[in-house]
Amino acid sequence: MALRRSPSSTCAEPCPNGAGLSRVSTALSESSSIHSDALCHLNRELSGIGLKPMPYNVLEPEGCKEEPGAEESQSLLQVVDAPASPQASSEGLYFCDGQRKVDYVLVFHHRRHGSLRCTGTSSVSQDQLSIVSNGNFPPPAGSDARRGGVRREEAASVGEVFMELGMVRGSEPMEAADHEMHLIRQEFEANLLEAGLEVERDRETKTHGPSFTRIHAPWPVLCREAEFLKIKVPTKQSYELKEESGFGSSMSTVWRKLKQPFQPNVPHQDHGSTKFLSHCFSRDKLHMYNITSKDTFFDNATRGRIVYEILRRTVCVRTCQTIGISTLIAKGVYDAAFPLHDGDYKVTGHLEERNDRQVLFEEWARYSAFYKYQPIDLVRKYFGEKIGLYFAWLGVYTQLLIPASIVGIIVFGYGVATVDTNIPSLEMCDERLNFTMCPLCDGACDYWHLSTACGTARASHLFDNPATVFFAIFMSLWAVLFLEHWKRRQISLSFSWDLTGIEEDEEHPRPKYETILLQKRQRKQKKKKKKKKNEPEKQEDGTVTGKDRWRQKLLSAMAAGVPTVIEKLTWKDRLPGYFMNISSILFMFGLTFSAVFGVIIYRITVSALMAMSPDPETKSNVRVTVTATAVIINLVVILILDEIYGAVALWLTELEIPKTETNFEERLILKAFLLKFMNAYAPIFYVAFFKGRFAGRPGSYVYVFNDYRMEECAPGGCLIELCIQLSIIMLGKQLIQNNIFEIGIPKLKKLIRALKDKEPTQKEKDEERPPQQWNLDYALAPFEGLTPEYMEMIIQFGFVSLFVASFPLAPLFALLNNVIEIRLDARKFVTELRRPVAARAKDIGIWYNILSGMGKLSVIINAFVISFTSDFIPRLVYQYMYSQTGTMHGFIDHTLSFFNVSNFKPGTAPHSSDHGDITVCRYKDYREPPWSSDAYQFSKQYWSVLSARLAFVILFQNLVMFLSLMVAWVIPDVPKTIVEQLKREKKLLVDLFLQEEKEKFQLIQSLFVKDATLHPKSQSPTPGQAFPVLGRYSTLPSGPTAGDGGGPRARCRAASFSQFSERISSLPRKENANSKHTAV
């Protein structure tokens, strides 16, 4: 089925009234009959505004040629041939005329099921069905003229639209769904034209593939939308920034010179000491702005954002009840919509001729530029404030990791330097002490000497030493310092980017929300139809009689005065989604705990099986082998569940039916963070706080499945295992996610998209046009938001801050990862992703609250890690309460309890022993010896250590919180220089507007004087009289006034000049209507 248009609709001269359409007759199949009214209305509207509606699937025969008179009607929407070369349209960045920029591109896959063509004869083939219109489209003047060999008798066919039911030029019949999409696109793009945009389309010659609609926003539309969106632009007024003096100036100069080698080579990066005042754009104040060129006054990112705002609020009423391009993409009407990149990212000419994309690639996205600062201002200019704030935050975070890494290296170096003098480690390694330990498993395991765990003890001291406590306090303060520093940096960027005082943009409902709301309305309408049975009975002529008639009139009058209630979704509509959210999140928590428990079972069973091995080398490496393999399994499970939880969080958020994109994003972030936080840290929490706490004691162990003993910590403590767990998960997660997920998977998706496209034939290859910029950008991956980028860094921030007491080198590895991550993300945004719409944002949103919460949580977790996981508190208690010499000598013996081997349960004692006759073995715990009256009960030392641990948690938490509040109080959120500049700018803007009002007032006075000289007979003010001063809302009279013999005066708008009344207060005023309002 195809549309066929006659020459009068596409090739004829325009009529004087602009209605280029003649009578329209439609030929509709049964599947497309529902859209006939919509198509007719579209044609009528386009003709009503003086435009010829251009067909969208145009394939004109050679006999159809446009006349010069049709150029004006095609200036807004054009169907053109592709340029012969990319240079013909400035590398695909402009319309076919090479002058109008392509600000936005709409893409849909077009399959040529039919075509619109011009008819040169009146005959209708047998495969066409034509139904003449019912007269809604009157024939225009001149329709009986002969055009292209068409006689007057054949006027019935001229201008008709035929629906061909057969095959046209080998094309396939148009399906009902394709026809519906076509009509929706027609209406949507017609509404874009009505909004002032200009649209261009290529004439398609292929039978399949993407079709591109280019959109250009002319200067009047840009001005209108910029004023509506309150976009701040620089004015002509500038001022000198206040420079520091004295010692501060000298330090700033030295620091600037030191940073010079690390600055990127970006044009106009240095703003100098001059700043231009910025003000919200207004069409009434164009003279205030430095408009050198209307094409470049608004940069490409701003133009794309303006067009996106129009696309977002453009409606389709007749063909489908939808609002905005996002809904149409969700319905499949369009495949994609995006602004264009600024050409290719590879530099081909001189360095001075580089566009912004090439500058970003050379100075920001290269791995060789890892040591340079980021060109944040250029990133913001090209990608918008939201993406600019992300990279600025990532840069601040990475910079502050440098001091944390240095301190972590010092703490680790202290552990290395003191490992040979650490008395507890020396005692564990001393074979002369001969501590015989109880078996690690039942039956198969033998007794063992503590000296065999010498390596574990020495490695544990590298991370478990007195300096670790200092490092934990330092990192807690570092987290607070990082947040305070970011707040200052964020406010500085907001001031520099003119974001101060901006309002939140009004958001349109999401497509899913609109769909559910439409379904709700339809259900209500069905209920209303069922209630019609209870309506009052009517007579045969349809009138209501008696009291029912007056009752109906009264109800109608009352309903007229009641405002229409805006329908929205309530909590009842979202209740199933909330229930599914809660149950699914609880299920995911259970899945995470099950995965952790499964790894625990693996460790227990493998430890028991390896202990039964007859190979002595296997027995000696049980703990190392089990720990390493278990951590790797944990890492794989975490990576798999991460991907699953990301998809589940998205699905659960959709079930909640959030109204706007902001609400959707915030709820998605909270769910994804909650699930991924539990997934990443559950194994680490287990090792830090639960492992070995519930294992029991010899003779009374806790068993799993009645056969396997719960695992215990290593002789050197659980801190070394926590360190291993944290380091492997952190490094593996960063390396695998960066190298596989962020690099490999996007390339794989790109390869799959390329394979999906059909291999072109040799003829198509010969006729293939050079790729334009919109073709290249469409081949890139779509931008899917910053949530994955932020989430990766937030999880890393948790590794750095939450358990940093167990792994002081975590900031160093995070720093090395982030140096690569910045360039990796930059390369992805510049070369692999479509250009996102420049979105405004004053801050990083909910991510700051998550960071703040994690910073507070890190204080509590580090306090418990130092108190309960490390041996720091037991050492202090022993040294100051139980040591005879006040040193650490005898600490190992103090921490080991005695067990009589005769108290083993039957079958749990070693079957054979290489250590001879053993009567007593040792185990790590504070319990009474077997010869005590309270045998195997907790000793007094246990309660002393427990009380000291709890006291340390309280002391540590309060001390760090107090110091954090002090740091936050000392560092102001807004820099002093920003406060002064804001005050100065406000004063300069007020002075600028007052000067403008003053000039207006003087201009109006000069007009009165000029009018008095031109009309001497008219009543003019005497020297002792003041000129009438206009009020704010008053205008000059449009006609002759009393005593005025002249003609009508031009109507002039005047603002309020009450602030200048002091200048004319010395003149006597005549009491008139205007002076009463303006005199002070």
Side-chain angles (χ1 to χ4, degrees):
M1 182 173 60
L3 289 175
R4 173 179 166 184
R5 189 177 298 278
S6 66
S8 66
S9 61
T10 58
C11 306
E13 296 179 357
C15 298
N17 60 356
L21 276 179
S22 64
R23 177 175 51 86
V24 175
S25 60
T26 56
L28 300 173
S29 66
E30 182 180 358
S31 61
S32 62
S33 61
I34 58 174
H35 301 295
S36 60
D37 184 61
L39 185 59
C40 294
H41 278 293
L42 278 173
N43 291 332
R44 187 191 306 173
E45 282 193 359
L46 290 177
S47 63
I49 60 175
L51 299 175
K52 282 186 177 182
M54 293 298 298
Y56 283 85
N57 296 338
V58 174
L59 186 60
E60 297 176 329
E62 296 180 358
C64 179
K65 295 183 180 179
E66 295 182 359
E67 299 184 8
E71 292 180 358
E72 183 180 356
S73 65
Q74 295 191 18
S75 62
L76 296 182
L77 190 147
Q78 296 181 337
V79 181
V80 298
D81 290 317
S85 64
Q87 289 78 12
S89 61
S90 300
E91 300 181 354
L93 299 177
Y94 290 82
F95 273 17
C96 223
D97 54 11
Q99 297 178 356
R100 293 174 289 176
K101 285 185 178 180
V102 177
D103 297 320
Y104 222 87
V105 175
L106 307 180
V107 189
F108 66 93
H109 274 277
H110 172 73
R111 292 180 298 172
R112 187 169 299 282
H113 298 293
S115 62
L116 293 171
R117 71 169 188 260
C118 298
T119 57
T121 63
S122 61
S123 61
V124 180
S125 60
Q126 294 180 357
D127 59 349
Q128 294 175 345
L129 176 64
S130 177
I131 302 176
V132 181
S133 171
N134 58 2
N136 290 334
F137 294 88
S143 61
D144 55 345
R146 297 181 60 181
R147 293 186 180 96
V150 180
R151 299 193 184 113
R152 179 169 183 170
E153 299 89 297
E154 300 167 352
S157 65
V158 176
E160 292 183 353
V161 178
F162 293 94
M163 296 294 186
E164 298 182 359
L165 303 180
M167 304 290 288
V168 181
R169 299 183 184 181
S171 62
E172 300 177 0
M174 180 179 288
E175 299 176 359
D178 294 336
H179 183 60
E180 180 183 0
M181 298 299 180
H182 172 73
L183 290 178
I184 295 174
R185 285 193 294 269
Q186 266 193 325
E187 181 186 357
F188 184 73
E189 294 177 16
N191 291 337
L192 294 181
L193 294 176
E194 188 177 355
L197 298 177
E198 298 175 4
V199 181
E200 182 185 68
R201 286 271 310 281
D202 283 341
R203 180 179 292 109
E204 294 293 334
T205 59
K206 297 188 298 182
T207 58
H208 62 85
S211 179
F212 299 91
T213 301
R214 277 96 61 191
I215 299 175
H216 168 76
W219 172 253
V221 175
L222 293 175
C223 293
R224 181 193 71 206
E225 297 298 323
E227 183 174 356
F228 174 72
L229 296 174
K230 299 181 180 179
I231 296 176
K232 285 191 174 183
V233 294
T235 63
K236 296 179 181 178
Q237 185 71 23
S238 63
Y239 67 95
E240 297 292 330
L241 298 176
K242 185 178 179 181
E243 297 183 356
E244 297 181 1
S245 58
F247 179 74
S249 177
S250 303
M251 292 299 297
S252 299
T253 304
V254 172
W255 180 244
R256 198 178 301 114
K257 290 182 179 179
L258 291 176
K259 293 194 303 181
Q260 189 62 35
F262 306 102
Q263 295 293 340
N265 184 19
V266 176
H268 313 293
Q269 180 74 9
D270 188 10
H271 301 287
S273 59
T274 304
K275 187 178 187 302
F276 287 90
L277 292 177
S278 297
H279 185 258
C280 293
F281 185 85
S282 175
R283 287 172 287 181
D284 296 335
K285 295 180 172 57
L286 293 179
H287 59 281
M288 292 174 52
Y289 312 124
N290 189 15
I291 305 177
T292 56
S293 173
K294 293 181 178 180
D295 294 332
T296 59
F297 181 71
F298 295 106
D299 57 31
N300 292 340
T302 305
R303 296 173 70 99
R305 178 176 162 233
I306 288 175
V307 175
Y308 173 72
E309 291 295 331
I310 298 176
L311 293 173
R312 194 177 68 169
R313 66 172 187 260
T314 302
V315 300
C316 287
V317 180
R318 289 176 296 277
T319 53
C320 62
Q321 298 291 331
T322 56
I323 300 177
I325 186 65
S326 301
T327 310
L328 296 181
I329 292 177
K331 287 178 176 293
V333 179
Y334 290 100
D335 289 343
F338 52 87
L340 290 180
H341 279 292
D342 291 352
D344 193 10
Y345 61 85
K346 296 179 181 178
V347 180
T348 55
H350 299 287
L351 294 179
E352 293 79 9
E353 300 176 356
R354 296 182 298 178
N355 57 43
D356 289 344
R357 191 184 186 192
Q358 294 170 346
V359 173
L360 287 173
F361 178 75
E362 293 290 330
E363 302 294 332
W364 182 50
R366 285 183 176 272
Y367 292 108
S368 58
F370 72 93
Y371 64 93
K372 291 185 178 182
Y373 287 96
Q374 299 183 85
I376 293 298
D377 290 335
L378 186 59
V379 174
R380 171 255 177 179
K381 176 187 175 185
Y382 192 83
F383 293 108
E385 288 81 3
K386 193 170 186 178
I387 295 177
L389 282 175
Y390 163 71
F391 282 102
W393 173 83
L394 184 56
V396 170
Y397 172 48
T398 304
Q399 288 177 10
L400 286 183
L401 281 174
I402 296 176
S405 302
I406 294 174
V407 176
I409 293 173
I410 293 174
V411 170
F412 182 75
Y414 172 81
V416 173
T418 58
V419 67
D420 293 329
T421 60
N422 183 43
I423 295 175
S425 299
L426 294 176
E427 288 185 350
M428 288 186 66
C429 296
D430 191 357
E431 296 181 359
R432 296 171 298 177
L433 295 177
N434 194 20
F435 294 112
T436 301
M437 306 299 293
C438 295
L440 297 176
C441 64
D442 294 340
C445 297
D446 195 4
Y447 302 103
W448 56 285
H449 290 298
L450 186 61
S451 58
T452 58
C454 177
T456 306
R458 290 174 63 86
S460 179
H461 178 73
L462 299 178
F463 305 100
D464 188 5
N465 54 69
T468 305
V469 181
F470 160 75
F471 188 61
I473 297 176
F474 170 80
M475 288 304 296
S476 299
L477 297 178
W478 173 87
V480 178
L481 185 66
F482 162 60
L483 293 177
E484 292 297 323
H485 181 61
W486 167 244
K487 280 198 292 188
R488 290 171 60 87
R489 173 68 171 157
Q490 186 174 260
I491 291 176
S492 299
L493 290 175
S494 297
F495 173 74
S496 176
W497 296 347
D498 299 323
L499 298 176
T500 53
I502 66 170
E503 300 177 358
E504 295 292 336
D505 295 335
E506 182 182 357
E507 294 190 71
H508 294 285
R510 299 180 65 250
K512 181 74 173 179
Y513 182 88
E514 287 186 331
T515 304
I516 302 298
L517 189 59
L518 181 61
Q519 293 175 357
K520 181 180 178 180
R521 289 171 181 166
Q522 291 174 350
R523 288 194 299 268
K524 284 188 175 181
Q525 290 176 358
K526 290 181 180 179
K527 292 181 180 179
K528 288 181 179 179
K529 289 180 180 179
K530 293 181 180 179
K531 292 181 179 179
K532 285 185 177 180
K533 299 178 180 179
N534 301 327
E535 290 182 355
E537 297 181 358
K538 298 182 179 181
Q539 293 182 353
E540 294 181 357
D541 58 354
T543 59
V544 183
T545 59
K547 297 180 179 179
D548 291 334
R549 180 181 59 185
W550 296 103
R551 180 173 177 271
Q552 187 174 1
K553 288 185 177 181
L554 180 60
L555 291 176
S556 301
M558 292 174 63
V562 178
T564 305
V565 179
I566 300 177
E567 291 188 11
K568 60 181 181 179
L569 299 182
T570 61
W571 65 269
K572 295 181 180 179
D573 302 311
R574 296 186 171 97
L575 187 59
Y578 291 152
F579 177 77
M580 185 64 71
N581 267 261
I582 295 174
S583 57
S584 300
I585 290 176
L586 292 178
F587 173 76
M588 295 300 156
F589 283 173
L591 181 62
T592 302
F593 295 146
S594 300
V596 174
F597 185 71
V599 176
I600 294 172
I601 299 300
Y602 165 81
R603 294 164 67 110
I604 294 173
T605 54
V606 172
S607 298
L609 292 175
M610 292 184 68
M612 298 177 187
S613 174
D615 187 8
E617 186 176 353
T618 303
K619 285 185 175 181
S620 61
N621 296 325
V622 169
R623 194 174 295 276
V624 176
T625 305
V626 171
T627 301
T629 55
V631 172
I632 293 174
I633 293 174
N634 264 328
L635 175 62
V636 173
V637 171
I638 287 173
L639 294 176
I640 294 174
L641 290 182
D642 251 359
E643 299 302 313
I644 295 175
Y645 288 167
V648 169
L650 182 63
W651 174 64
L652 292 178
T653 309
E654 290 284 0
L655 291 180
E656 288 189 21
I657 323 174
K659 184 175 182 180
T660 62
E661 286 294 339
T662 301
N663 293 337
F664 178 85
E665 185 178 356
E666 290 181 352
R667 298 185 184 196
L668 174 62
I669 289 171
L670 285 177
K671 291 181 184 61
F673 172 74
L674 188 62
L675 293 174
K676 293 189 176 185
F677 180 88
M678 292 297 299
N679 181 43
Y681 296 114
I684 302 174
F685 269 97
Y686 164 73
V687 175
F689 302 122
F690 298 100
K691 185 178 180 181
R693 309 291 176 189
F694 311 102
R697 60 170 180 82
S700 181
Y701 284 114
V702 178
Y703 291 88
V704 180
F705 303 127
N706 297 323
D707 291 323
Y708 301 103
R709 273 169 42 182
M710 286 292 293
E711 56 182 346
E712 303 176 60
C713 290
C718 282
L719 193 69
I720 183 63
E721 294 189 31
L722 177 62
C723 175
I724 296 173
Q725 186 98 3
L726 179 65
S727 59
I728 293 180
I729 290 179
M730 177 182 176
L731 297 179
K733 201 169 185 297
Q734 291 181 162
L735 292 176
I736 293 177
Q737 280 190 338
N738 286 352
N739 295 321
I740 296 180
F741 291 171
E742 293 196 17
I743 298 178
I745 291 182
K747 291 186 180 299
L748 183 62
K749 289 181 178 179
K750 188 175 181 180
L751 179 62
I752 293 174
R753 284 199 306 269
L755 293 177
K756 281 184 177 180
D757 296 335
K758 278 189 177 181
E759 185 68 25
T761 61
Q762 187 61 36
K763 181 180 179 181
E764 290 178 343
K765 287 182 179 179
D766 296 338
E767 298 177 355
E768 188 176 3
R769 66 187 66 167
Q772 300 294 309
Q773 188 61 45
W774 47 82
N775 298 97
L776 299 175
D777 285 5
Y778 180 64
L780 301 177
F783 173 68
E784 297 179 352
L786 291 170
T787 300
E789 315 298 335
Y790 271 115
M791 188 66 68
E792 181 184 349
M793 290 294 103
I794 294 297
I795 296 297
Q796 185 203 83
F797 179 79
F799 286 127
V800 169
S801 59
L802 293 182
F803 296 95
V804 74
S806 63
F807 188 42
L809 295 180
L812 175 63
F813 289 110
L815 173 64
L816 297 177
N817 173 79
N818 287 4
V819 170
I820 301 173
E821 178 74 17
I822 290 176
R823 307 303 161 180
L824 182 67
D825 285 347
R827 194 177 188 88
K828 182 171 64 175
F829 273 87
V830 173
T831 65
E832 298 178 6
L833 295 180
R834 296 173 192 161
R835 187 172 187 172
V837 179
R840 282 196 304 185
K842 294 187 294 184
D843 48 41
I844 60 175
I846 196 174
W847 296 110
Y848 182 84
N849 299 330
I850 294 176
L851 286 170
S852 180
M854 293 185 70
K856 293 179 173 60
L857 183 62
S858 67
V859 177
I860 302 173
I861 290 180
N862 282 308
F864 277 94
V865 167
I866 295 172
S867 297
F868 290 90
T869 309
S870 72
D871 286 337
F872 176 73
I873 298 302
R875 290 171 184 171
L876 287 181
V877 172
Y878 173 77
Q879 184 174 1
Y880 293 105
M881 292 183 63
Y882 297 102
S883 176
Q884 302 294 330
T885 60
T887 62
M888 293 302 296
H889 289 286
F891 172 72
I892 297 299
D893 183 57
H894 178 76
T895 58
L896 297 177
S897 299
F898 294 89
F899 179 75
N900 192 339
V901 297
S902 61
N903 295 329
F904 273 122
K905 290 182 178 180
T908 60
H911 300 314
S912 61
S913 176
D914 297 334
H915 298 277
D917 189 14
I918 302 296
T919 58
V920 176
C921 63
R922 309 292 295 270
Y923 62 97
K924 189 173 182 180
D925 206 346
Y926 293 100
R927 291 183 182 268
E928 295 291 342
W931 52 82
S932 173
S933 58
D934 298 326
Y936 306 124
Q937 298 297 317
F938 288 118
S939 61
K940 293 181 180 179
Q941 290 87 345
Y942 171 82
W943 300 111
S944 300
V945 171
L946 180 60
S947 59
R949 283 173 167 170
L950 295 176
F952 177 82
V953 169
I954 297 173
L955 178 64
F956 182 90
Q957 179 180 345
N958 286 279
L959 175 63
V960 174
M961 289 294 185
F962 173 76
L963 294 177
S964 302
L965 291 175
M966 287 293 295
V967 171
W969 178 73
V970 169
I971 302 176
D973 294 343
V974 184
K976 185 179 179 181
T977 55
I978 301 297
V979 175
E980 294 177 353
Q981 291 183 26
L982 284 173
K983 291 181 180 179
R984 189 177 181 187
E985 284 197 0
K986 187 175 181 180
K987 180 178 179 300
L988 290 174
L989 279 176
V990 171
D991 294 341
L992 179 64
F993 291 139
L994 290 178
Q995 181 65 26
E996 182 187 6
E997 297 289 333
K998 184 177 179 180
E999 292 175 357
K1000 285 183 179 179
F1001 177 70
Q1002 292 175 351
L1003 176 62
I1004 291 177
Q1005 280 189 326
S1006 64
L1007 289 176
F1008 274 107
V1009 173
K1010 184 177 180 181
D1011 185 72
T1013 56
L1014 292 177
H1015 305 281
K1017 293 183 180 181
S1018 61
Q1019 184 178 357
S1020 59
T1022 60
Q1025 275 185 317
F1027 291 105
V1029 184
L1030 296 180
R1032 181 172 182 177
Y1033 301 105
S1034 60
T1035 56
L1036 289 176
S1038 57
T1041 59
D1044 190 355
R1049 297 174 179 171
R1051 191 176 178 188
C1052 300
R1053 182 179 59 187
S1056 174
F1057 303 107
S1058 60
Q1059 59 267 34
F1060 303 111
S1061 58
E1062 297 175 357
R1063 174 171 179 154
I1064 60 172
S1065 58
S1066 59
L1067 299 176
R1069 297 187 299 272
K1070 181 178 179 180
E1071 294 295 326
N1072 55 29
N1074 291 326
S1075 62
K1076 288 181 181 179
H1077 289 290
T1078 58
V1080 178

